[in-house]
Amino acid sequence: MKHALISLLLVFAATHACAQVDPVRQQVTFRPVTTQTDEDGDINRLFITYVTPDGMENALVCEMPWPVSPDMFIGGTIEEVDLNFDGNLDLMVFLAYTDGTGHNPVYEPYIWDVKTHSFISIPDSPNFVSPFVMPEEKCIVIREITENIADYYKYVWKDGKLVNTDKWQDDLNELGKE
């Protein structure tokens, strides 16, 4: 009887843990990313279209940080990652690099809203520059490099928002000189 009770509790715990994952989100599919150009022919918006299991098409409009020439455009990729650590895959859309060195890639984040079965912008989100999602610590670290300094910002989820909990710097000239 004791083993049956333990097994029942384990099944309940596993089922309860899986209950957070939205079955609608698991069946979302994406169309190819499309772009919009301005009067100069530079890309200024990305359109991310996704389809829910009921056949509804939804579009996310991502504003570029600045217009990018189509022959220099390397953004528009989608990374599916759990940004708010609720078990559902969210989105980070790569927009562009903020400089010519390949540093500071800018992303636009969206979280999956279980109530509306749609992706929504993160309320009051920080600039998503070089984000590192750390699921084991349930935090996101954002890194921005300016000249020879890397600024790091640690964010955690609190009351449905990303809250900055820590900041530190590294002098990139001093790394590895130990």
Side-chain angles (χ1 to χ4, degrees):
M1 180 68 173
K2 183 178 179 181
H3 293 294
L5 181 59
I6 290 173
S7 295
L8 183 61
L9 288 174
L10 289 174
V11 168
F12 173 75
T15 304
H16 183 68
C18 292
Q20 290 185 14
V21 178
D22 186 358
V24 172
R25 172 57 183 104
Q26 293 176 327
Q27 297 178 45
V28 167
T29 57
F30 294 91
R31 302 265 192 253
V33 174
T34 57
T35 60
Q36 176 183 313
T37 56
D38 62 14
E39 59 278 352
D40 295 327
D42 293 334
I43 296 170
N44 60 1
R45 285 192 182 105
L46 301 176
F47 296 93
I48 312 296
T49 304
Y50 63 96
V51 182
T52 53
D54 60 4
M56 294 296 297
E57 283 194 6
N58 303 281
L60 303 171
V61 180
C62 303
E63 299 287 334
M64 297 295 288
W66 54 83
V68 176
S69 171
D71 48 323
M72 295 191 63
F73 179 66
I74 57 171
T77 56
I78 301 171
E79 291 184 35
E80 296 182 72
V81 62
D82 188 0
L83 295 173
N84 57 353
F85 312 105
D86 67 352
N88 294 297
L89 291 177
D90 305 304
L91 301 180
M92 290 192 314
V93 180
F94 173 50
L95 300 179
Y97 287 104
T98 61
D99 57 26
T101 64
H103 293 133
N104 304 325
V106 177
Y107 291 81
E108 188 152 335
Y110 295 92
I111 55 174
W112 179 255
D113 183 25
V114 178
K115 293 176 188 163
T116 63
H117 299 296
S118 62
F119 291 102
I120 60 172
S121 293
I122 297 174
D124 303 320
S125 75
N127 290 329
F128 256 57
V129 179
S130 302
F132 296 97
V133 179
M134 304 174 74
E136 54 283 341
E137 286 92 20
K138 294 193 179 203
C139 71
I140 297 171
V141 175
I142 294 172
R143 180 193 72 199
E144 187 167 5
I145 297 175
T146 53
E147 297 192 23
N148 295 320
I149 302 293
D151 291 313
Y152 297 88
Y153 305 88
K154 179 181 176 184
Y155 289 87
V156 298
W157 281 94
K158 184 175 181 180
D159 300 326
K161 294 183 180 183
L162 277 173
V163 177
N164 186 305
T165 60
D166 198 5
K167 178 187 175 188
W168 66 96
Q169 282 187 335
D170 279 335
D171 182 339
L172 300 178
N173 291 322
E174 296 299 319
L175 291 178
K177 287 188 176 181
E178 299 165 3

